[in-house]
Amino acid sequence: MTVDPSAAARLEPPRQTSLGTAAARTLATTAKSVPQMQEITSRWLLRMLPWVQTEGGVYRVNRRLTYNVGGGRVEFVQDGAAVRVFPRTLAELALLRGFDDIEVLTALADRCVAHPFRAGETLVEGGTPADRLHLIAHGRLGQTAVGRYGDALTLDVLADGDRFGEHALLDADARWEQTVTAETPGVLLTLSRADFTAVLSRAPHLRDHVAQAAARSRRRQNHRGEAEIALSAGHVGEPRLPGTFVDYDLTPRAYELSAAQTILRVHTRVSDLYNGPMDQAREQLRLTIEALRERQEHELINNREFGLLHNADFRHRVQPHSGPPTPDDLDTLLSRRRGCRFYLAHPRTIAAIGRGLNAYGIRPEHVELDGRPVLAWRGVPILPSDKIPVTRENTSSILVMRTGEDNQGVIGLHHTGLPDEYEPGVSVRFTGIDDRAVASYLVSTFYSAAILVPDAVGVMENVQIARRPG
């Protein structure tokens, strides 16, 4: 067989005539990135809060005297299918606020009767006699009333821990002002006026407490529950003018700075031999501080002592009217306070808000913030934070807030000028080298948040964020 010389030449690999790239890379300096970190987020809350220097580690919020009328929620204990009231939480009722006799509270709790309800069931009819207190253990209820022109008005949505009908316990002529209808299945517990009166008759100290609570409710207050400042206006001639003074809360809330700390360890051999082109200790510190900042934002939202979700006033917590967030829900949250600076929601909640706007045929608006466009509603930015919890039922919360001391809003608290301060509010202290040649650094930051007046923060709870089928 004859082989074509030109074909054989084409089959031979080309002869290398210069240094290859693989070998050359052994002598080259590699271009490399600084260490990357997936945990880093935009941390909008830290960026948007005005930070106040807190000397002495404590910030005291002084307010006008406010008559506390029991704005907390009642809690329940579930034992299989049975549900009962946790007795101590009955002290959250306006009439029982501050009452601590556990035996009497237990007697009242034992007289609460559980009533399951179905979706669509009318629980009370507006205008009918009211003779019992209703405590919502689980479920969503809608309140409606008849308007001036005969049309039905949707007033509010009640959910777990809320109640209605407290006025009926003492007033024999009480009537329901609204119609209450179940939007979901659930359970409520009722305490009748007769049962309340029976316990009241056997507990003289409870009668005295209830009488004092009723007297407090008759004191002159403004619509925010604050002690009224007596004024006269629109008068003519020389009438006697009222004397007044502004009373202060004698037990103001004091916020102590919380600490986030860790000990960073770097082996001296690493920092001695492998410190170029990047400083190993500096990169370790950078990533550690990023993690501290992420934890700081998480605590500002979720900490039980000062976190915004747990410290928002119960009177400023609302429920969505149908589950998923709608433009009407955003308006409800926005309209209950002045000067709102921004909404804060989980990214999945923001996606659900977008779907809600699309369902209404509304084109989402955007505003520019820090040089970038962000989703907004009524000109108020809707900012993401993955620190807001999402439950297993695919529900979450939406916060809206006013910020700044001058606006009586929400402020961040920190302390700068720390010893060995690495960046404002972050201290990095060298604590020595141990017998294994490992250098240690104590990394610390101190922070908290304060809500100056209750309406500075509003929370919409139980927002459904899962996509509905169809």
Side-chain angles (χ1 to χ4, degrees):
M1 184 177 70
T2 304
V3 179
D4 184 357
S6 61
R10 288 196 300 271
L11 294 175
E12 291 181 2
R15 182 175 299 175
Q16 183 173 332
T17 60
S18 64
L19 180 66
T21 56
R25 279 199 296 269
T26 63
L27 301 183
T29 299
T30 303
K32 57 182 73 69
S33 73
V34 297
Q36 305 298 302
M37 184 174 178
Q38 187 173 334
E39 186 182 6
I40 298 174
T41 65
S42 55
R43 299 197 294 265
W44 277 108
L45 181 60
L46 297 188
R47 294 158 61 182
M48 296 295 289
L49 282 183
W51 291 89
V52 175
Q53 175 73 356
T54 307
E55 300 295 343
V58 177
Y59 185 94
R60 181 181 296 129
V61 179
N62 290 308
R63 294 176 179 169
R64 272 179 66 184
L65 177 63
T66 300
Y67 297 121
N68 197 332
V69 294
R73 295 187 175 183
V74 178
E75 297 182 7
F76 302 87
V77 178
Q78 189 171 0
D79 184 8
V83 180
R84 54 189 174 85
V85 180
F86 188 65
R88 289 189 184 277
T89 64
L90 286 175
E92 294 298 328
L93 300 176
L95 290 176
L96 302 178
R97 186 70 170 183
F99 188 73
D100 58 2
D101 188 325
I102 188 61
E103 291 186 7
V104 175
L105 293 176
T106 301
L108 289 171
D110 290 343
R111 291 175 179 262
C112 293
V113 180
H115 295 280
F117 55 82
R118 304 181 305 276
E121 181 179 348
T122 299
L123 302 177
V124 301
E125 190 75 40
T128 59
D131 66 346
R132 62 194 63 234
L133 164 70
H134 295 260
L135 307 171
I136 305 171
H138 179 64
R140 284 167 46 91
L141 308 179
Q143 289 183 312
T144 60
V146 178
R148 175 175 294 183
Y149 302 103
D151 51 338
L153 303 178
T154 299
L155 301 179
D156 208 350
V157 177
L158 305 176
D160 303 13
D162 289 329
R163 73 260 184 184
F164 60 96
E166 190 171 349
H167 66 293
L169 293 180
L170 296 179
D171 185 2
D173 299 322
R175 290 185 173 272
W176 296 115
E177 297 178 354
Q178 299 94 19
T179 297
V180 180
T181 305
E183 296 184 354
T184 66
V187 178
L188 58 78
L189 287 86
T190 62
L191 176 64
S192 69
R193 185 191 305 133
D195 285 335
F196 183 75
T197 303
V199 175
L200 199 66
S201 64
R202 294 199 300 268
H205 55 303
L206 176 60
R207 285 201 306 272
D208 294 340
H209 183 91
V210 169
Q212 293 172 7
R216 283 197 301 270
S217 69
R218 291 192 294 269
R219 293 178 187 173
R220 296 180 68 83
Q221 307 169 24
N222 63 18
H223 67 288
R224 299 289 188 181
E226 297 172 327
E228 186 178 65
I229 299 174
L231 301 171
S232 178
H235 52 273
V236 295
E238 298 179 354
R240 184 179 297 276
L241 298 180
T244 191
F245 65 96
V246 181
D247 206 354
Y248 298 136
D249 188 349
L250 297 179
T251 57
R253 171 80 182 268
Y255 291 87
E256 294 187 16
L257 293 186
S258 180
Q261 295 178 302
T262 188
I263 294 179
L264 173 64
R265 295 184 173 91
V266 181
H267 201 289
T268 54
R269 181 173 56 200
V270 171
S271 56
D272 290 344
L273 301 180
Y274 305 98
N275 224 32
M278 299 177 192
D279 187 307
Q280 293 281 359
R282 181 179 293 115
E283 292 303 319
Q284 289 281 301
L285 275 175
R286 180 180 65 84
L287 297 179
T288 300
I289 291 172
E290 292 283 2
L292 278 179
R293 294 299 192 194
E294 294 291 332
R295 182 66 183 191
Q296 179 181 357
E297 185 173 79
H298 178 276
E299 293 292 305
L300 291 177
I301 294 173
N302 297 289
N303 187 282
R304 299 196 68 86
E305 295 297 323
F306 58 84
L308 300 180
L309 280 178
H310 293 285
N311 285 267
D313 192 280
F314 286 116
R315 293 167 294 178
H316 294 280
R317 298 172 186 256
V318 298
Q319 305 291 326
H321 283 85
S322 60
T326 66
D328 292 339
D329 293 326
L330 296 179
D331 280 342
T332 297
L333 197 55
L334 194 65
S335 64
R336 295 195 176 196
R337 65 214 79 257
R338 58 181 172 84
C340 294
R341 182 79 189 280
F342 60 92
Y343 292 95
L344 195 69
H346 193 279
R348 289 181 59 191
T349 307
I350 294 178
I353 291 173
R355 292 195 297 270
L357 295 178
N358 292 336
Y360 275 67
I362 298 175
R363 182 178 180 181
E365 62 176 300
H366 291 79
V367 297
E368 187 172 299
L369 198 62
D370 288 353
R372 69 183 75 176
V374 297
L375 184 69
W377 177 250
R378 307 290 190 194
V380 179
I382 304 175
L383 304 179
S385 175
D386 63 353
K387 314 301 188 302
I388 299 177
V390 174
T391 69
R392 279 186 278 184
E393 292 79 20
N394 283 299
T395 62
S396 188
S397 300
I398 301 174
L399 293 91
V400 66
M401 65 192 76
R402 181 176 68 248
T403 60
E405 282 186 305
D406 293 341
N407 293 326
Q408 301 183 96
V410 182
I411 57 173
L413 306 176
H414 68 169
H415 187 86
T416 59
L418 297 167
D420 301 315
E421 193 166 62
Y422 187 79
E423 62 180 51
V426 178
S427 170
V428 179
R429 291 185 177 183
F430 175 66
T431 59
I433 301 175
D434 64 16
D435 57 1
R436 296 176 179 172
V438 176
S440 299
Y441 303 85
L442 174 63
V443 187
S444 307
T445 185
F446 304 94
Y447 56 89
S448 187
I451 302 173
L452 299 186
V453 295
D455 75 343
V457 175
V459 179
M460 180 165 288
E461 303 175 312
N462 301 314
V463 178
Q464 180 61 246
I465 63 175
R467 186 188 296 272
R468 287 180 171 175

